[in-house]
């Protein structure tokens, strides 16, 4: 099929490249000219494992094209995906400015029947608004169907997630559009990936409800972690015990500094706003948000339990991306931690395998390293913020020798307390059982 993807970011680029890989003729459009020029040279603006390989093949075989003119895409396509950003607006609702601008442009250039697919995460009612705008803007009389097809990919495993999703959700009230969507995802469904076709409103809500539920799991386990610290329980064991119950499952039960990223924070906020807008306010979600914000402060408080005054202290950060295997730092917990440290007069040095360039744009004053060890010299403490695999099996004897004081705040509970204490570290984690036998060594 001939498909245009409007918005060539984390979602649009992955979706466009994968749809091309499945044999479609795809135009990836973006109004960021530099990004499109780079993509034409097969330079990928984001870190996403596996993406470059399939992109290069599809570009070479002329199934994947990069354009800046939406007109070219609309005129040449039977299906247009909208995958532009939907950041939080002034009142924390989803800001639909980009989506509505694209709808108007589609309306201006439409010259045949079209299926428009909302891939961006948008509140209930958006598909119908997009359709209305297109119909009001278009000059001729064409059949336009707007489908909700929310995206569930996770950065870091986006290609795999797009190709083998847990589910493909299609929200539509049009048999014609349903047929076209079934055709696009036929090979994926044949490969065993389930497709659910439903009404538009339910599809739109499935995305928000899923993200808000996962965020709720994280905040829930973080509150349990706080209680663990008080009663002498170990949150990792509690989570494993809970997760063995098939109704609960083990995932998203890792206590620590809380969730971040471009989706959970904004989607929780947007769902809270939808609840207020439709006079069905949430009680649970404001609590989820509050707990998450408190977890960031808790990380700082744990550091302050060692150094009440951070002025002049040199603090190392391992991990800047909001999660491993991505360079995305949007709403990353590391940003809050760095901001607080700088405000307190501390010197910050940081290492992340791929997210340093993005972080430097926000904090040009901090220094970065080329590997985890390279930033530790003379440090008073190390805060592990992102659980990259690169940080799991390191030489902690070397770490200790490099640091001025062997203090580690482990915001992701990736190390074993007993091991770290035996090696001489003041090791502080989230919600894990205190040891009776090995004490924290003294700090210089
Ligand atoms: N990033 C994720 O992991 C993820 C996962 C699932 C869903 N989503 C949702 O997908 C949507 C896109 O997210 P993203 O992370 O890819 O955003 P992004 O910021 O990485 O990309 C958005 C792109 O849209 C472009 N754009 C904005 N307005 C445009 C316009 N009028 N015309 C053409 N291009 C325009 C921007 O230049 C940018 O390249 C959001 O609604 C997000 O919530 C994101």
């Amino acid at each position: 099929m001939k498909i245009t993807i409007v918005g060539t970011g984390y979602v649009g680029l992955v979706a466009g490249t994968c749809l091309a890989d499945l044999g479609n003729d795809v135009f990836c459009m973006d109004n960021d000219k530099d990004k499109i020029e780079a993509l034409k040279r097969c330079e990928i603006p984001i870190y996403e494992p596996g993406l470059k390989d399939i992109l290069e093949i599809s570009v070479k075989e002329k199934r994947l094209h990069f354009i800046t003119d939406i007109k070219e895409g609309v005129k040449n396509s039977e299906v247009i995906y909208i995958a532009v950003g939907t950041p939080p607006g002034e009142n924390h609702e989803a800001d639909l400015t980009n989506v509505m601008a694209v709808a108007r442009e589609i309306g201006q250039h439409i010259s045949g029947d079209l299926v428009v697919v909302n891939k961006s995460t948008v509140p209930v009612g958006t598909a119908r608004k997009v359709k209305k705008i297109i119909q009001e803007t278009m000059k001729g009389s064409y059949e336009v169907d707007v489908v909700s097809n929310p995206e569930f990919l996770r950065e870091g495993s986006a290609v795999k997630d797009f190709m083998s999703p847990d589910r493909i959700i299609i929200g539509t009230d049009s048999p014609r559009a349903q047929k076209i969507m079934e055709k696009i995802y036929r090979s994926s469904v044949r490969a065993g990936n389930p497709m659910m076709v439903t009404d538009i409103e339910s599809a739109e809500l499935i995305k928000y409800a899923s993200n808000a539920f996962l965020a709720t799991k994280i905040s829930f386990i973080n509150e349990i972690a706080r209680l663990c610290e008080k009663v002498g329980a170990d949150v990792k064991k509690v989570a494993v015990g809970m997760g063995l119950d098939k109704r609960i499952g083990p995932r998203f039960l890792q206590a620590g500094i809380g969730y971040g990223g471009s989706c959970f924070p904004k989607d929780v906020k947007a769902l809270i706003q939808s609840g207020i807008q439709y006079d069905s306010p949430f009680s649970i979600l404001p609590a989820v948000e509050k707990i998450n914000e408190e977890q960031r402060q808790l990380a700082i408080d744990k550091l302050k339990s060692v150094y009440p005054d951070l002025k002049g202290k040199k603090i190392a950060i391992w991990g800047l991306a909001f999660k491993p295997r991505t360079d995305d730092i949007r709403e990353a917990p590391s940003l809050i931690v760095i901001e607080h440290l700088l405000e307190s007069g501390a010197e910050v040095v940081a290492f992340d395998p791929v997210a340093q360039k993005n972080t430097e744009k926000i904090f040009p004053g901090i220094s970065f390293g080329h590997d985890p060890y390279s930033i530790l010299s003379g440090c008073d403490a190390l805060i592990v913020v992102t659980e990259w695999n690169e940080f799991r099996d390191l030489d902690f004897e070397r770490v200790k020798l490099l640091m001025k004081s062997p203090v580690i705040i482990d915001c992701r509970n990736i190390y074993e307390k007993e091991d770290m204490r035996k090696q001489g570290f003041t090791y502080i984690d989230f919600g894990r059982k205190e040891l009776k036998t090995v004490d924290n060594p003294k700090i210089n």
Side-chain angles (χ1 to χ4, degrees):
M1 299 210 64
K2 288 185 182 306
I3 298 172
T4 289
I5 314 276
V6 183
T8 308
Y10 282 87
V11 167
L13 182 58
V14 171
T17 306
C18 291
L19 288 171
D21 192 60
L22 293 173
N24 297 289
D25 196 8
V26 178
F27 290 86
C28 277
M29 183 268 162
D30 204 287
N31 56 10
D32 180 337
K33 289 191 172 63
D34 293 342
K35 188 183 267 190
I36 292 298
E37 282 312 310
L39 282 164
K40 282 180 181 169
R41 299 188 298 270
C42 290
E43 290 166 19
I44 301 200
I46 54 170
Y47 174 82
E48 191 56 58
L51 185 59
K52 194 172 168 64
D53 294 345
I54 57 169
L55 181 138
E56 280 173 349
I57 295 170
S58 289
V59 168
K60 203 168 146 207
E61 294 182 356
K62 299 200 170 14
R63 286 195 305 268
L64 182 57
H65 320 271
F66 296 102
I67 56 171
T68 50
D69 184 1
I70 194 171
K71 190 173 160 191
E72 190 184 342
V74 176
K75 291 224 173 301
N76 286 309
S77 303
E78 307 150 83
V79 181
I80 311 275
Y81 278 65
I82 303 178
V84 294
T86 49
E90 260 175 35
N91 300 316
H92 305 308
E93 79 291 358
D95 181 347
L96 298 178
T97 311
N98 295 333
V99 174
M100 296 310 166
V102 173
R104 272 189 294 279
E105 287 187 89
I106 293 173
Q108 280 159 16
H109 300 300
I110 187 171
S111 57
D113 295 347
L114 205 57
V115 170
V116 176
V117 182
N118 268 352
K119 204 33 121 188
S120 298
T121 302
V122 288
V124 171
T126 305
R128 296 199 191 279
K129 281 187 197 155
V130 167
K131 181 169 178 166
K132 194 161 173 272
I133 289 180
I134 297 172
Q135 285 176 329
E136 284 171 359
T137 326
M138 66 190 188
K139 305 232 166 51
S141 168
Y142 309 108
E143 205 174 324
V144 179
D145 291 305
V146 180
V147 172
S148 169
N149 172 215
E151 183 51 58
F152 300 96
L153 63 76
R154 296 160 300 170
E155 290 174 20
S157 55
V159 173
K160 187 175 150 282
D161 289 348
F162 192 91
M163 292 301 204
S164 319
D166 289 343
R167 75 289 209 198
I168 300 160
I169 301 291
I170 304 294
T172 182
D173 52 10
S174 150
R176 178 185 86 95
Q178 182 178 336
K179 242 187 184 158
I180 289 176
M181 297 310 290
E182 282 170 350
K183 194 171 164 194
I184 291 173
Y185 292 112
R186 188 179 295 152
S187 58
S188 186
V189 173
R190 271 201 201 126
N193 303 309
M195 173 183 274
M196 175 183 171
V197 180
T198 180
D199 59 281
I200 298 171
E201 286 71 20
S202 300
E204 289 174 328
L205 204 47
I206 284 168
K207 173 66 192 177
Y208 280 108
S210 301
N211 274 2
F213 185 73
L214 293 174
T216 303
K217 267 185 114 176
I218 294 170
S219 282
F220 180 83
I221 201 67
N222 277 330
E223 273 209 313
I224 293 290
R226 294 181 201 170
L227 184 61
C228 284
E229 289 182 7
K230 295 272 161 61
V231 301
D234 187 321
V235 73
K236 269 202 162 176
K237 292 185 179 145
V238 175
V240 170
M242 285 172 66
L244 286 170
D245 184 330
K246 289 188 182 64
R247 295 169 301 176
I248 298 172
R251 299 173 73 187
F252 288 81
L253 286 180
Q254 281 75 39
I257 197 167
Y259 61 80
S262 69
C263 292
F264 284 10
K266 86 170 169 60
D267 292 351
V268 168
K269 279 185 177 34
L271 192 52
I272 291 173
Q273 287 311 310
S274 288
I276 294 168
Q277 188 189 341
Y278 288 96
D279 198 21
S280 181
F282 284 94
S283 304
I284 195 168
L285 294 182
V288 167
E289 260 200 318
K290 180 169 172 282
I291 295 162
N292 200 54
E293 277 159 27
E294 288 166 355
Q295 289 307 109
R296 280 113 164 86
Q297 186 56 44
L298 200 52
I300 308 279
D301 291 346
K302 283 174 187 279
L303 178 65
K304 282 193 162 168
S305 72
V306 184
Y307 299 118
D309 183 6
L310 289 166
K311 196 159 184 229
K313 298 289 177 212
K314 186 175 177 186
I315 310 295
I317 310 261
W318 278 358
L320 299 163
F322 84 91
K323 66 172 187 174
R325 290 164 67 81
T326 180
D327 62 349
D328 197 344
I329 56 162
R330 289 178 282 184
E331 300 274 341
S334 65
L335 304 185
I336 312 272
V337 172
I338 294 172
E339 199 173 286
H340 187 93
L341 292 173
L342 293 177
E343 275 171 16
S344 308
E347 179 189 350
V348 178
V349 284
F351 172 73
D352 187 285
V354 295
Q356 294 186 174
K357 227 161 94 190
N358 285 339
T359 311
E360 201 173 7
K361 289 178 201 155
I362 301 177
F363 297 111
I366 71 172
S367 351
F368 299 94
H370 53 82
D371 69 28
Y373 302 108
S374 62
I375 57 167
L376 296 178
S377 184
C379 281
D380 295 286
L382 162 66
I383 311 180
V384 183
V385 182
T386 315
E387 67 279 30
W388 281 92
N389 277 340
E390 282 83 339
F391 303 148
R392 288 182 192 271
D393 290 310
L394 292 174
D395 177 355
F396 278 93
E397 209 39 57
R398 188 173 163 200
V399 169
K400 203 174 75 183
L401 282 173
L402 285 166
M403 292 181 75
K404 184 169 153 205
S405 298
V407 175
I408 297 183
I409 313 295
D410 181 357
C411 298
R412 300 292 181 179
N413 287 347
I414 59 177
Y415 307 118
E416 289 308 319
K417 196 186 293 255
E418 194 164 357
D419 294 348
M420 299 310 267
R421 294 271 174 88
K422 274 186 185 153
Q423 290 186 75
F425 285 95
T426 292
Y427 173 76
I428 300 175
D429 48 18
F430 280 68
R432 306 209 57 200
K433 202 174 181 65
E434 264 313 318
L435 300 171
K436 295 218 166 54
T437 46
V438 190
D439 281 336
N440 260 340
K442 275 215 154 55
I443 310 296
N444 304 324

